[in-house]
Amino acid sequence: MLYLAEVQKQRSGFGLGGGKAELKLLACQRGEHNWSAVPGDDVIPVEEANKFNDGTLVLVELSASKQVQRIQEAARQLVSILQNFSRLQDKFKDKEEEIEQWKASLTFSSQELNRREMEMQAREEQLAQMEEELERLEAQRSEIENTRDEAHRLREEVDRSRAEIETAWEQLRSEQQQMSQQQSQVPQGAVLDEQQARRIQELMNKLGGAIASVQGVREQLNQSFGVVGAQQAILDVHWQQLEQKRANAQQQQEEVDRQNQNIQNLWQEWYKSQDALAQARADLKGQQSTLSAKQEQAQSVSLQVRAVEELYQQLSRLASASGAAGTEPKVDVSALEKMPVEELQGLVQHLQQDLEKVFRFVNDQEEELNLQRETIEDLQGKIQAASEYDRMALENEMADELESYQMLNETLVGQRLRLQEREDVLQQHQAVLWRRLGTANAPKQDRADIDLGPLVAQLNSVRQQQGEELQRLENEIQQVRDAISQIEANVNRKNGENEAKRYELKQLEQNLFNQKGAVAELWGRVNVYQEMLQPVQDNLKGLRQKLEAVGGEIDRVQQTGEQQDLDLAQLRQVISGLLNLP
């Protein structure tokens, strides 16, 4: 099982190799991304931990019996874990934003469905009203058709009455002619017999009845005029309603035109804002290019600083070993002189083993640092050839790699110093041992005559200048990053505002589209209403004209009948005079 532990060392009284290393277990891995704290102070002795410094965090794999199977420094893995955790947090935030967007979309869809349902209900009610109006108009049309049929019937009755009157008059004229002929044939003073008088009386009564029937037709005609007037009053109400609907449709049409123009103006403003956003993105891209160039420059200077630092450390060690730097001995030589040779040999052997472990560890760290440097150089090449979308992700990865590289490099600086110190201590122990053994393997001290102090001082001056140059570049990089952060915030804010404005404009366009549909539907109802009313109005107007023609004909017939009444009265007087003669 994998544990996160802290190296704890207990120093013995002498040298650098006499400490006892232990591991304090801090956390235990339960899953791929699941760690839990180890309760209490669980400490286990581990000899392999001697190659690590006191307080170093390591990852150690233990068996069920707490035997060490693998141990390594945890700095790299912790950085990776933190980076993965940061990426998981970013992904979680993206998922949350995506969920919120889906919620907003579902809410909008639900509201849109409710609105559509309400519109459908309103349209169903309007259709029901139109059907009721259509039924009323159909009823009125039926009444008008009935009135028209009644007018035709009255016209037929008038024509029939006129024919009867004409027939009666013809018969009367025929009788008059017969009477005239008989009067011319009979001697003077002749009178009508009873049969002739009765025949003449029947003809006059029939003629009077035909004339009197015209008055009944007049009453029916007046009733038909009353029905037509009532129908016209109903139609006038519908015409008023039609004008009101037309005025309402015109008002809504003007409102739709005004909103359409307003939306067009808002779209023009949105396009201008998009142009400003594109300019801001271009500025951001320029700043990112500047940042990339400065990061490359800083990386180059950092590599130079590292090379100078390594050279400075090597010269410092040489100067320290030769005594040029005026350093104090790190080992009590007098104590080594008094120590038994066998014990001194064992101490030198232990120091050699300890130095080999530290050397292997530092060498592994150096190789890892080289791998990170190659990764950074590879990322720099990818950034230069990447698109704008991929560049941001690669730059974030580049920043993480640089941070990890700097952390490991800073750690290695101390590790190199400690390695050199142990190497110096070992050399001093070996020098004492070889001198006491009198062997020919004692190191030559030819370099003691070389004064490395001025070179170390000059190299230190160069190191400081490069450090200042690197600090200046880092400050400039931080300033560019701050500017990029500000521009990114501005771009994100403007992008959010533009997206919100675009969403609002889409909503306005959708509402305008619905209003246009409603106005078009209203105009359609107005046109249909007019198409329904106009034929009824035309039929009613034609019926009125026919009734007026029938009324004129009846007036003429009535005038003729009145004249005929006068003639019949005179004829009755004549016939009465004839009947009363002896």
Side-chain angles (χ1 to χ4, degrees), residues 282-373:
D283 295 340
L284 177 61
K285 188 175 181 180
Q287 291 290 339
Q288 289 174 344
S289 299
T290 302
L291 177 62
S292 178
K294 287 188 177 295
Q295 285 178 341
E296 292 177 0
Q297 185 179 1
Q299 178 66 21
S300 177
V301 174
S302 178
L303 294 176
Q304 294 177 5
V305 169
R306 178 177 175 275
V308 172
E309 179 67 27
E310 291 178 354
L311 182 58
Y312 174 78
Q313 294 296 335
Q314 292 175 2
L315 289 177
S316 297
R317 287 195 297 270
L318 290 174
S320 176
S322 63
T327 56
E328 295 293 333
K330 297 185 171 92
V331 178
D332 188 357
V333 178
S334 61
L336 296 178
E337 292 290 347
K338 299 177 181 179
M339 182 181 298
V341 176
E342 293 80 4
E343 185 178 352
L344 180 59
Q345 288 177 342
L347 180 58
V348 169
Q349 185 179 2
H350 180 76
L351 289 175
Q352 286 177 343
Q353 294 175 356
D354 187 63
L355 180 62
E356 289 176 358
K357 292 180 180 179
V358 176
F359 177 78
R360 286 195 299 271
F361 174 75
V362 173
N363 191 34
D364 293 339
Q365 296 293 315
E366 291 284 355
E367 291 179 357
E368 186 174 357
L369 190 66
N370 292 329
L371 291 176
Q372 287 188 352
R373 187 184 303 111

Side-chain angles (χ1 to χ4, degrees), residues 472-488:
R472 183 184 63 80
L473 286 174
E474 289 178 351
N475 293 333
E476 292 179 357
I477 289 174
Q478 186 61 39
Q479 292 176 359
V480 175
R481 284 178 176 173
D482 294 339
I484 289 176
S485 298
Q486 185 176 1
I487 296 175
E488 283 181 345

